[in-house]
Amino acid sequence: MKLTIIGAGNVGATTAHIAALTGVARQIVLVDIVEGIPQGKALDIYESLPIMGRDCRVIGTNAYAETANSDIVVITAGVPRKPGMSRDDLLTTNAGIVKTCAEQSFAHSPNAFYIVVSNPLDVMTYLTLKVTGLPRTRVVGMAGILDTARFRTFIATELGVSVEDVSAFVLGGHGDSMVPLVRYTTVAGVPITQFLSPERIEALIQRTRDGGAEIVAYLKTGSAYYAPAAAVVQMIDAVVYDRKRILPCAVALEGEYGLSNVVCGVPVKLGRAGVEEILELELSEEERNALHRSAADVRRTIERLEELLHQKTAA
Ligand code: APR
């Protein structure tokens, strides 16, 4: 299994580190535009492996030739948020970066499975689909697992129970209008409504929506990366080991949930073939409306992206 990670910043390098430690890849190639950064971080990770008892080749490079024939490509290149910024504020800068990275990596690894992490996530996934021309089964965005992990963390802390017993689902775009599904959120199979008041549930949902911003406010110079990287590795693991995991991921919708021409977070089955199935949960009218509102937010940003690309072509 050859894994390429584009962007050797916080998310990219941490993904490489966790992937090497968990043994999901035999070879990891870390790519960045800045000379020395991917080489230095890759060598450092590689040198940690004899101590950790793992055997995986990790290299850093500025050239895509070394990524050739990767099985999985993770795109994390781009700028992170600063306090006060929304993910959509990153659109102009990150669209140019992600377009180049997707073009270059696809030229060398046309058969890879692509995971997009750069923000605004849903729109960057849409862009990668467009640039590569790959089917939607092979290009997905990482967001739902992260948002769900945040929701699970807050619930487990509030109730003083193991996070392993908390199961949750967060749908929609990776933004302020994401849709945590209370009805499908359980503690050891029991709906959380039996443990928490509607007010407390609402407070935890709001904290989940603001989960990324909460970390940006602390860090001031960057955004979250440990939890995002762990989420990416869970997706890689599902594909590499053909686990058929049901995980919330950002995928292009073609009629599911009454939505088309948009990338949005929904539960999918991830296995060797990539997205092997898109699960259509039964939603209440209120949940469905919330999902449609979230998708409409993503679609507006996709329209801005199309304008940007059009301006670039015209110029
Ligand atoms: N090609 C390759 N790498 C690039 C390019 C490019 N064209 N442009 C920028 N990069 C690299 C930067 O040099 C940097 O090393 O992308 C890396 C980004 O790293 P960080 O600034 O640490 O950002 P990070 O926290 O990793 O977030 C990356 O993921 O979660 C999202 O919102 C976040 O969009 C951001 C992305």
Side-chain angles (χ1 to χ4, degrees), residues 6-13 31-34 37 41 64 75-81 87 90 94 96-98 100-101 117-120 142 174 221-225 228:
I6 318 284
N10 283 333
V11 177
V31 184
D32 202 282
I33 200 167
V34 180
I37 293 289
K41 291 190 181 182
Y64 282 84
I75 300 180
T76 78
V79 293
R81 284 195 279 174
R87 294 182 180 91
L90 305 173
N94 285 357
I97 294 173
V98 170
T100 313
C101 296
V117 188
S118 311
N119 273 310
M142 184 295 296
H174 186 46
T221 54
S223 52
Y225 50 100

Side-chain angles (χ1 to χ4, degrees), residues 229-253:
V232 173
V233 175
Q234 186 171 61
M235 291 168 76
I236 296 172
D237 176 273
V239 172
V240 170
Y241 296 111
D242 195 22
R243 290 201 198 274
K244 320 246 182 246
R245 297 275 328 251
I246 308 295
L247 298 166
C249 297
V251 283
L253 296 177

Side-chain angles (χ1 to χ4, degrees), residues 109-123:
S109 301
N111 299 315
F113 177 71
Y114 284 75
I115 301 173
V116 182
V117 188
S118 311
N119 273 310
L121 188 275
D122 309 275
V123 183

